[in-house]
Short mmCIF file of all heavy atoms in Angstrom, two decimals:
data_model
loop_
_atom_site.label_atom_id
_atom_site.label_comp_id
_atom_site.label_asym_id
_atom_site.label_seq_id
_atom_site.Cartn_x
_atom_site.Cartn_y
_atom_site.Cartn_z
N LEU A 866 64.43 182.43 73.15
CA LEU A 866 65.33 183.46 73.63
C LEU A 866 65.74 183.23 75.08
O LEU A 866 66.87 183.34 75.46
CB LEU A 866 64.72 184.85 73.47
CG LEU A 866 64.39 185.26 72.00
CD1 LEU A 866 63.70 186.59 71.99
CD2 LEU A 866 65.66 185.29 71.13
N ARG A 867 64.76 182.84 75.94
CA ARG A 867 65.05 182.59 77.31
C ARG A 867 66.13 181.52 77.46
O ARG A 867 66.98 181.61 78.30
CB ARG A 867 63.80 182.05 78.02
CG ARG A 867 62.84 183.10 78.45
CD ARG A 867 61.61 182.42 79.08
NE ARG A 867 60.67 183.35 79.56
CZ ARG A 867 59.39 183.04 79.93
NH1 ARG A 867 58.97 181.81 79.78
NH2 ARG A 867 58.61 183.94 80.40
N HIS A 868 66.05 180.48 76.59
CA HIS A 868 66.96 179.37 76.75
C HIS A 868 68.24 179.44 75.89
O HIS A 868 69.00 178.50 75.76
CB HIS A 868 66.21 178.06 76.45
CG HIS A 868 65.19 177.74 77.50
ND1 HIS A 868 65.52 177.24 78.75
CD2 HIS A 868 63.85 177.90 77.52
CE1 HIS A 868 64.42 177.08 79.47
NE2 HIS A 868 63.38 177.53 78.77
N GLY A 869 68.44 180.62 75.31
CA GLY A 869 69.65 180.85 74.56
C GLY A 869 69.77 180.16 73.23
O GLY A 869 70.89 179.94 72.71
N THR A 870 68.59 179.86 72.63
CA THR A 870 68.58 179.29 71.30
C THR A 870 68.27 180.44 70.31
O THR A 870 67.12 180.93 70.30
CB THR A 870 67.51 178.20 71.16
OG1 THR A 870 67.76 177.24 72.16
CG2 THR A 870 67.49 177.60 69.80
N PHE A 871 69.26 180.85 69.50
CA PHE A 871 69.01 182.01 68.67
C PHE A 871 68.98 181.67 67.17
O PHE A 871 68.72 182.54 66.34
CB PHE A 871 70.13 183.07 68.88
CG PHE A 871 70.15 183.54 70.34
CD1 PHE A 871 71.28 184.08 70.88
CD2 PHE A 871 69.06 183.51 71.15
CE1 PHE A 871 71.36 184.53 72.16
CE2 PHE A 871 69.08 183.90 72.47
CZ PHE A 871 70.25 184.47 72.97
N GLN A 872 69.24 180.42 66.85
CA GLN A 872 69.13 179.96 65.42
C GLN A 872 68.22 178.73 65.43
O GLN A 872 68.51 177.77 66.18
CB GLN A 872 70.53 179.57 64.87
CG GLN A 872 71.54 180.68 64.86
CD GLN A 872 72.30 180.82 66.18
OE1 GLN A 872 72.39 181.93 66.66
NE2 GLN A 872 72.76 179.76 66.71
N VAL A 873 67.19 178.82 64.60
CA VAL A 873 66.24 177.72 64.66
C VAL A 873 65.78 177.33 63.23
O VAL A 873 65.80 178.12 62.27
CB VAL A 873 64.96 178.13 65.42
CG1 VAL A 873 65.25 178.25 66.89
CG2 VAL A 873 64.27 179.35 64.90
N ASN A 874 65.44 176.01 63.13
CA ASN A 874 64.91 175.49 61.89
C ASN A 874 63.56 174.86 62.27
O ASN A 874 63.54 173.91 63.03
CB ASN A 874 65.87 174.45 61.32
CG ASN A 874 65.32 173.80 60.04
OD1 ASN A 874 64.79 174.46 59.20
ND2 ASN A 874 65.49 172.51 59.96
N LEU A 875 62.45 175.45 61.74
CA LEU A 875 61.16 175.15 62.34
C LEU A 875 60.18 174.43 61.41
O LEU A 875 60.09 174.74 60.21
CB LEU A 875 60.49 176.45 62.80
CG LEU A 875 61.22 177.27 63.85
CD1 LEU A 875 60.39 178.52 64.20
CD2 LEU A 875 61.46 176.44 65.08
N PHE A 876 59.44 173.54 62.00
CA PHE A 876 58.20 173.07 61.40
C PHE A 876 57.10 174.03 61.77
O PHE A 876 57.20 174.73 62.79
CB PHE A 876 57.87 171.67 61.93
CG PHE A 876 58.13 170.54 61.02
CD1 PHE A 876 59.46 170.29 60.63
CD2 PHE A 876 57.15 169.71 60.53
CE1 PHE A 876 59.78 169.20 59.76
CE2 PHE A 876 57.47 168.66 59.66
CZ PHE A 876 58.73 168.41 59.28
N SER A 877 56.06 174.08 60.97
CA SER A 877 54.89 174.96 61.31
C SER A 877 53.67 174.06 61.07
O SER A 877 53.63 172.94 61.54
CB SER A 877 54.89 176.16 60.38
OG SER A 877 54.97 175.70 59.03
N THR A 878 52.66 174.59 60.40
CA THR A 878 51.45 173.85 60.05
C THR A 878 51.19 174.03 58.56
O THR A 878 52.01 174.64 57.86
CB THR A 878 50.21 174.28 60.85
OG1 THR A 878 49.95 175.66 60.50
CG2 THR A 878 50.47 174.17 62.33
N ILE A 879 50.02 173.53 58.09
CA ILE A 879 49.70 173.69 56.68
C ILE A 879 49.02 175.05 56.38
O ILE A 879 48.75 175.34 55.22
CB ILE A 879 48.78 172.54 56.16
CG1 ILE A 879 47.44 172.57 56.95
CG2 ILE A 879 49.46 171.17 56.41
CD1 ILE A 879 46.40 171.55 56.37
N HIS A 880 48.79 175.83 57.42
CA HIS A 880 47.94 177.04 57.26
C HIS A 880 48.78 178.27 56.86
O HIS A 880 49.59 178.73 57.68
CB HIS A 880 47.17 177.32 58.55
CG HIS A 880 46.60 176.12 59.13
ND1 HIS A 880 47.15 175.42 60.23
CD2 HIS A 880 45.49 175.37 58.78
CE1 HIS A 880 46.39 174.35 60.49
NE2 HIS A 880 45.44 174.31 59.65
N TYR A 881 48.51 178.75 55.65
CA TYR A 881 49.34 179.84 55.11
C TYR A 881 49.50 181.03 56.06
O TYR A 881 50.58 181.51 56.31
CB TYR A 881 48.79 180.29 53.75
CG TYR A 881 49.75 181.25 53.09
CD1 TYR A 881 50.68 180.75 52.18
CD2 TYR A 881 49.71 182.61 53.36
CE1 TYR A 881 51.57 181.64 51.58
CE2 TYR A 881 50.66 183.48 52.78
CZ TYR A 881 51.57 182.96 51.88
OH TYR A 881 52.46 183.84 51.29
N ASP A 882 48.37 181.54 56.55
CA ASP A 882 48.40 182.79 57.29
C ASP A 882 49.21 182.66 58.61
O ASP A 882 49.96 183.53 58.99
CB ASP A 882 47.00 183.30 57.59
CG ASP A 882 46.32 183.78 56.36
OD1 ASP A 882 46.99 183.97 55.32
OD2 ASP A 882 45.06 183.88 56.38
N SER A 883 49.05 181.51 59.27
CA SER A 883 49.80 181.31 60.53
C SER A 883 51.28 181.16 60.21
O SER A 883 52.14 181.62 60.98
CB SER A 883 49.31 180.05 61.25
OG SER A 883 47.99 180.25 61.72
N CYS A 884 51.61 180.54 59.10
CA CYS A 884 53.00 180.38 58.74
C CYS A 884 53.63 181.70 58.37
O CYS A 884 54.76 181.97 58.73
CB CYS A 884 53.16 179.39 57.56
SG CYS A 884 52.54 177.74 57.92
N ASP A 885 52.87 182.51 57.71
CA ASP A 885 53.33 183.87 57.38
C ASP A 885 53.60 184.67 58.67
O ASP A 885 54.61 185.38 58.78
CB ASP A 885 52.23 184.54 56.51
CG ASP A 885 52.50 186.02 56.29
OD1 ASP A 885 53.52 186.35 55.67
OD2 ASP A 885 51.70 186.83 56.81
N LEU A 886 52.68 184.56 59.61
CA LEU A 886 52.82 185.25 60.88
C LEU A 886 54.12 184.80 61.58
O LEU A 886 54.92 185.61 62.08
CB LEU A 886 51.62 185.00 61.79
CG LEU A 886 51.74 185.62 63.17
CD1 LEU A 886 51.64 187.14 63.16
CD2 LEU A 886 50.69 185.01 64.11
N LEU A 887 54.31 183.47 61.63
CA LEU A 887 55.51 182.95 62.36
C LEU A 887 56.73 183.50 61.70
O LEU A 887 57.65 183.91 62.42
CB LEU A 887 55.50 181.41 62.27
CG LEU A 887 56.70 180.70 62.86
CD1 LEU A 887 56.82 181.01 64.37
CD2 LEU A 887 56.57 179.18 62.65
N PHE A 888 56.79 183.51 60.37
CA PHE A 888 57.95 184.03 59.68
C PHE A 888 58.23 185.50 60.03
O PHE A 888 59.34 185.89 60.31
CB PHE A 888 57.69 183.89 58.15
CG PHE A 888 58.92 184.00 57.29
CD1 PHE A 888 59.59 182.86 56.87
CD2 PHE A 888 59.41 185.24 56.85
CE1 PHE A 888 60.74 182.99 56.08
CE2 PHE A 888 60.53 185.38 56.09
CZ PHE A 888 61.18 184.20 55.67
N LYS A 889 57.16 186.29 60.08
CA LYS A 889 57.35 187.70 60.35
C LYS A 889 57.72 187.98 61.80
O LYS A 889 58.48 188.89 62.12
CB LYS A 889 56.10 188.49 59.95
CG LYS A 889 56.01 188.49 58.39
CD LYS A 889 54.93 189.23 57.78
CE LYS A 889 55.09 189.17 56.32
NZ LYS A 889 53.84 189.19 55.57
N LEU A 890 57.16 187.17 62.69
CA LEU A 890 57.57 187.28 64.12
C LEU A 890 59.06 186.93 64.28
O LEU A 890 59.79 187.61 65.03
CB LEU A 890 56.73 186.33 64.99
CG LEU A 890 55.26 186.65 65.16
CD1 LEU A 890 54.50 185.49 65.79
CD2 LEU A 890 55.10 187.90 66.04
N LEU A 891 59.50 185.92 63.59
CA LEU A 891 60.91 185.55 63.64
C LEU A 891 61.81 186.69 63.16
O LEU A 891 62.79 187.05 63.74
CB LEU A 891 61.21 184.29 62.84
CG LEU A 891 60.64 182.98 63.43
CD1 LEU A 891 60.55 181.86 62.37
CD2 LEU A 891 61.52 182.52 64.60
N MET A 892 61.35 187.31 62.05
CA MET A 892 62.09 188.47 61.56
C MET A 892 62.19 189.60 62.55
O MET A 892 63.23 190.15 62.80
CB MET A 892 61.49 188.99 60.25
CG MET A 892 61.79 188.17 59.02
SD MET A 892 60.89 188.67 57.57
CE MET A 892 61.41 190.40 57.39
N GLU A 893 61.08 189.83 63.18
CA GLU A 893 61.00 190.94 64.17
C GLU A 893 61.86 190.62 65.40
O GLU A 893 62.39 191.53 66.05
CB GLU A 893 59.53 191.18 64.59
CG GLU A 893 59.27 192.27 65.57
CD GLU A 893 59.57 193.67 65.02
OE1 GLU A 893 59.35 193.86 63.82
OE2 GLU A 893 60.03 194.53 65.82
N SER A 894 61.97 189.36 65.73
CA SER A 894 62.66 188.97 66.98
C SER A 894 64.21 189.13 66.92
O SER A 894 64.84 189.19 67.93
CB SER A 894 62.40 187.50 67.24
OG SER A 894 63.15 186.64 66.36
N GLY A 895 64.73 189.19 65.67
CA GLY A 895 66.19 189.27 65.55
C GLY A 895 66.86 187.94 65.41
O GLY A 895 68.08 187.83 65.15
N MET A 896 66.10 186.83 65.53
CA MET A 896 66.68 185.47 65.49
C MET A 896 67.04 185.15 64.02
O MET A 896 66.64 185.79 63.06
CB MET A 896 65.66 184.44 65.97
CG MET A 896 65.35 184.54 67.42
SD MET A 896 64.06 183.43 67.90
CE MET A 896 64.89 181.83 67.74
N TYR A 897 67.88 184.08 63.92
CA TYR A 897 68.17 183.47 62.63
C TYR A 897 67.29 182.27 62.45
O TYR A 897 67.12 181.47 63.45
CB TYR A 897 69.61 183.04 62.54
CG TYR A 897 70.61 184.21 62.40
CD1 TYR A 897 70.89 185.08 63.45
CD2 TYR A 897 71.22 184.40 61.16
CE1 TYR A 897 71.79 186.13 63.27
CE2 TYR A 897 72.11 185.46 60.98
CZ TYR A 897 72.37 186.29 62.03
OH TYR A 897 73.21 187.35 61.88
N ALA A 898 66.64 182.10 61.31
CA ALA A 898 65.71 180.95 61.17
C ALA A 898 65.50 180.51 59.75
O ALA A 898 65.63 181.26 58.81
CB ALA A 898 64.33 181.39 61.77
N TYR A 899 65.17 179.23 59.63
CA TYR A 899 64.48 178.70 58.45
C TYR A 899 63.09 178.33 58.87
O TYR A 899 62.89 177.69 59.91
CB TYR A 899 65.26 177.50 57.89
CG TYR A 899 66.50 177.85 57.18
CD1 TYR A 899 67.68 177.85 57.81
CD2 TYR A 899 66.45 178.26 55.82
CE1 TYR A 899 68.89 178.27 57.14
CE2 TYR A 899 67.60 178.63 55.18
CZ TYR A 899 68.81 178.64 55.82
OH TYR A 899 69.97 179.03 55.12
N SER A 900 62.14 178.75 58.05
CA SER A 900 60.77 178.47 58.40
C SER A 900 59.95 178.44 57.11
O SER A 900 60.39 178.94 56.07
CB SER A 900 60.25 179.55 59.35
OG SER A 900 58.99 179.20 59.85
N GLY A 901 58.74 177.84 57.14
CA GLY A 901 57.95 177.76 55.90
C GLY A 901 56.63 177.23 56.19
O GLY A 901 56.11 177.34 57.33
N LYS A 902 56.03 176.57 55.19
CA LYS A 902 54.71 175.99 55.29
C LYS A 902 54.86 174.44 55.17
O LYS A 902 55.56 174.02 54.28
CB LYS A 902 53.85 176.51 54.17
CG LYS A 902 52.37 176.34 54.33
CD LYS A 902 51.65 176.40 53.01
CE LYS A 902 51.42 175.02 52.38
NZ LYS A 902 50.64 174.06 53.13
N ILE A 903 54.25 173.68 56.04
CA ILE A 903 54.44 172.27 55.90
C ILE A 903 53.41 171.67 54.89
O ILE A 903 52.44 172.36 54.54
CB ILE A 903 54.46 171.45 57.24
CG1 ILE A 903 53.04 171.33 57.85
CG2 ILE A 903 55.39 172.11 58.26
CD1 ILE A 903 53.01 170.37 59.00
N ASN A 904 53.70 170.48 54.41
CA ASN A 904 52.84 169.89 53.40
C ASN A 904 52.31 168.49 53.86
O ASN A 904 53.06 167.67 54.31
CB ASN A 904 53.67 169.64 52.11
CG ASN A 904 54.33 170.89 51.66
OD1 ASN A 904 55.48 171.18 51.97
ND2 ASN A 904 53.59 171.75 50.91
N MET A 905 50.98 168.33 53.70
CA MET A 905 50.32 167.07 54.04
C MET A 905 49.12 166.86 53.14
O MET A 905 48.11 167.63 53.25
CB MET A 905 49.79 167.11 55.50
CG MET A 905 50.79 167.41 56.56
SD MET A 905 50.06 167.86 58.14
CE MET A 905 49.16 166.41 58.64
N ASP A 906 49.17 165.94 52.19
CA ASP A 906 48.00 165.70 51.38
C ASP A 906 47.53 164.23 51.44
O ASP A 906 46.59 163.84 50.75
CB ASP A 906 48.24 166.09 49.88
CG ASP A 906 49.17 165.15 49.14
OD1 ASP A 906 49.89 164.38 49.81
OD2 ASP A 906 49.15 165.13 47.91
N SER A 907 48.15 163.43 52.27
CA SER A 907 47.79 161.98 52.33
C SER A 907 47.85 161.48 53.76
O SER A 907 48.64 162.06 54.58
CB SER A 907 48.76 161.13 51.54
OG SER A 907 49.07 161.71 50.30
N ASN A 908 47.13 160.41 54.04
CA ASN A 908 47.24 159.71 55.33
C ASN A 908 47.16 160.71 56.50
O ASN A 908 47.92 160.58 57.47
CB ASN A 908 48.51 158.90 55.43
CG ASN A 908 48.60 157.86 54.33
OD1 ASN A 908 47.65 157.10 54.20
ND2 ASN A 908 49.64 157.83 53.54
N SER A 909 46.32 161.68 56.36
CA SER A 909 46.14 162.71 57.37
C SER A 909 44.67 162.79 57.69
O SER A 909 43.84 162.46 56.85
CB SER A 909 46.64 164.06 56.84
OG SER A 909 47.96 163.96 56.38
N PRO A 910 44.28 163.26 58.88
CA PRO A 910 42.88 163.30 59.21
C PRO A 910 42.14 164.35 58.36
O PRO A 910 42.74 165.31 57.89
CB PRO A 910 42.83 163.75 60.68
CG PRO A 910 44.21 164.26 60.98
CD PRO A 910 45.17 163.66 59.97
N ASP A 911 40.84 164.14 58.16
CA ASP A 911 40.02 165.02 57.32
C ASP A 911 40.12 166.53 57.73
O ASP A 911 40.01 167.40 56.95
CB ASP A 911 38.51 164.69 57.47
CG ASP A 911 38.24 163.31 57.08
OD1 ASP A 911 39.12 162.69 56.47
OD2 ASP A 911 37.15 162.82 57.37
N TYR A 912 40.27 166.73 59.02
CA TYR A 912 40.28 168.07 59.57
C TYR A 912 41.62 168.74 59.42
O TYR A 912 41.81 169.89 59.83
CB TYR A 912 39.79 168.11 61.01
CG TYR A 912 40.71 167.29 61.92
CD1 TYR A 912 41.90 167.84 62.47
CD2 TYR A 912 40.39 166.00 62.27
CE1 TYR A 912 42.70 167.09 63.28
CE2 TYR A 912 41.20 165.21 63.07
CZ TYR A 912 42.34 165.80 63.56
OH TYR A 912 43.19 165.04 64.39
N TYR A 913 42.68 167.99 59.00
CA TYR A 913 43.98 168.54 58.89
C TYR A 913 44.73 167.94 57.69
O TYR A 913 45.58 167.11 57.86
CB TYR A 913 44.74 168.28 60.19
CG TYR A 913 46.07 168.95 60.33
CD1 TYR A 913 46.24 170.28 59.89
CD2 TYR A 913 47.13 168.33 61.00
CE1 TYR A 913 47.44 170.91 59.99
CE2 TYR A 913 48.34 169.05 61.12
CZ TYR A 913 48.51 170.28 60.64
OH TYR A 913 49.68 170.94 60.80
N VAL A 914 44.27 168.43 56.50
CA VAL A 914 44.81 167.93 55.26
C VAL A 914 44.59 168.97 54.16
O VAL A 914 43.71 169.85 54.36
CB VAL A 914 44.15 166.57 54.91
CG1 VAL A 914 42.70 166.73 54.54
CG2 VAL A 914 44.93 165.80 53.83
N GLU A 915 45.35 168.93 53.13
CA GLU A 915 45.14 169.88 52.06
C GLU A 915 45.16 169.09 50.72
O GLU A 915 45.70 167.96 50.68
CB GLU A 915 46.20 170.99 52.01
CG GLU A 915 47.60 170.45 52.21
CD GLU A 915 48.69 171.42 52.47
OE1 GLU A 915 48.48 172.64 52.43
OE2 GLU A 915 49.83 170.97 52.62
N SER A 916 44.65 169.67 49.66
CA SER A 916 44.72 168.94 48.34
C SER A 916 46.14 169.11 47.82
O SER A 916 46.85 170.02 48.22
CB SER A 916 43.71 169.55 47.37
OG SER A 916 44.11 170.86 46.97
N THR A 917 46.50 168.28 46.87
CA THR A 917 47.85 168.25 46.31
C THR A 917 48.11 169.60 45.67
O THR A 917 49.15 170.29 45.87
CB THR A 917 47.97 167.18 45.24
OG1 THR A 917 47.54 165.97 45.86
CG2 THR A 917 49.39 167.02 44.75
N GLU A 918 47.12 170.09 44.86
CA GLU A 918 47.31 171.39 44.10
C GLU A 918 47.48 172.56 45.14
O GLU A 918 48.36 173.42 44.92
CB GLU A 918 46.09 171.65 43.20
CG GLU A 918 45.78 170.60 42.17
CD GLU A 918 45.21 169.34 42.79
OE1 GLU A 918 44.30 169.43 43.68
OE2 GLU A 918 45.67 168.20 42.44
N GLU A 919 46.59 172.54 46.10
CA GLU A 919 46.60 173.61 47.11
C GLU A 919 47.97 173.63 47.83
O GLU A 919 48.56 174.68 48.11
CB GLU A 919 45.51 173.22 48.15
CG GLU A 919 44.88 174.32 48.91
CD GLU A 919 43.91 173.74 49.90
OE1 GLU A 919 43.28 172.63 49.59
OE2 GLU A 919 43.71 174.28 50.96
N SER A 920 48.42 172.43 48.15
CA SER A 920 49.69 172.31 48.90
C SER A 920 50.86 172.87 48.11
O SER A 920 51.69 173.65 48.59
CB SER A 920 49.93 170.84 49.27
OG SER A 920 50.96 170.74 50.21
N ILE A 921 50.88 172.51 46.80
CA ILE A 921 52.00 173.01 45.93
C ILE A 921 51.90 174.50 45.71
O ILE A 921 52.81 175.24 45.85
CB ILE A 921 52.02 172.25 44.61
CG1 ILE A 921 52.30 170.76 44.85
CG2 ILE A 921 53.08 172.84 43.67
CD1 ILE A 921 52.08 169.85 43.64
N SER A 922 50.64 174.93 45.36
CA SER A 922 50.52 176.35 45.03
C SER A 922 50.75 177.29 46.23
O SER A 922 51.37 178.35 46.10
CB SER A 922 49.18 176.63 44.33
OG SER A 922 48.16 176.45 45.24
N SER A 923 50.27 176.85 47.39
CA SER A 923 50.49 177.73 48.54
C SER A 923 51.93 177.69 48.98
O SER A 923 52.45 178.72 49.53
CB SER A 923 49.52 177.45 49.70
OG SER A 923 49.76 176.17 50.21
N THR A 924 52.66 176.64 48.79
CA THR A 924 54.12 176.56 49.06
C THR A 924 54.84 177.55 48.10
O THR A 924 55.74 178.22 48.55
CB THR A 924 54.61 175.15 48.97
OG1 THR A 924 53.91 174.33 49.84
CG2 THR A 924 56.10 175.11 49.34
N GLU A 925 54.42 177.48 46.81
CA GLU A 925 55.08 178.39 45.92
C GLU A 925 54.85 179.86 46.27
O GLU A 925 55.78 180.68 46.30
CB GLU A 925 54.62 178.12 44.46
CG GLU A 925 55.31 179.05 43.45
CD GLU A 925 55.25 178.53 42.01
OE1 GLU A 925 54.27 177.80 41.70
OE2 GLU A 925 56.13 178.94 41.23
N ARG A 926 53.63 180.13 46.65
CA ARG A 926 53.27 181.50 47.06
C ARG A 926 54.11 181.89 48.30
O ARG A 926 54.60 183.01 48.39
CB ARG A 926 51.76 181.56 47.39
CG ARG A 926 51.34 182.93 47.83
CD ARG A 926 49.85 183.00 48.14
NE ARG A 926 49.55 184.07 49.04
CZ ARG A 926 48.62 184.09 49.98
NH1 ARG A 926 47.86 183.05 50.13
NH2 ARG A 926 48.43 185.12 50.70
N PHE A 927 54.28 180.93 49.23
CA PHE A 927 55.01 181.23 50.44
C PHE A 927 56.44 181.60 50.10
O PHE A 927 57.03 182.55 50.58
CB PHE A 927 54.97 180.05 51.44
CG PHE A 927 55.49 180.45 52.80
CD1 PHE A 927 54.60 180.86 53.78
CD2 PHE A 927 56.84 180.47 53.11
CE1 PHE A 927 55.07 181.29 55.01
CE2 PHE A 927 57.31 180.85 54.34
CZ PHE A 927 56.40 181.25 55.32
N ILE A 928 57.03 180.80 49.20
CA ILE A 928 58.46 181.06 48.84
C ILE A 928 58.55 182.43 48.13
O ILE A 928 59.40 183.25 48.48
CB ILE A 928 58.97 179.90 47.92
CG1 ILE A 928 59.03 178.59 48.69
CG2 ILE A 928 60.40 180.27 47.39
CD1 ILE A 928 59.22 177.39 47.78
N VAL A 929 57.67 182.63 47.18
CA VAL A 929 57.75 183.91 46.40
C VAL A 929 57.57 185.10 47.36
O VAL A 929 58.27 186.12 47.25
CB VAL A 929 56.67 183.92 45.33
CG1 VAL A 929 56.51 185.31 44.69
CG2 VAL A 929 57.02 182.86 44.24
#
Side-chain angles (χ1 to χ4, degrees):
L866 297 176
R867 279 177 176 165
H868 292 283
T870 302
F871 300 155
Q872 300 84 229
V873 293
N874 178 42
L875 299 181
F876 259 62
S877 54
T878 62
I879 63 174
H880 316 102
Y881 188 93
D882 290 344
S883 291
C884 298
D885 170 65
L886 174 73
L887 177 61
F888 196 96
K889 290 182 175 149
L890 289 168
L891 286 162
M892 280 175 59
E893 181 68 32
S894 75
M896 292 174 70
Y897 285 74
Y899 283 96
S900 190
K902 197 201 92 63
I903 75 169
N904 307 95
M905 303 165 63
D906 74 340
S907 314
N908 300 308
S909 306
D911 302 346
Y912 61 84
Y913 189 37
V914 68
E915 48 188 356
S916 72
T917 310
E918 302 71 44
E919 204 183 331
S920 192
I921 296 169
S922 66
S923 64
T924 302
E925 180 161 26
R926 179 180 158 214
F927 193 92
I928 296 168
V929 168

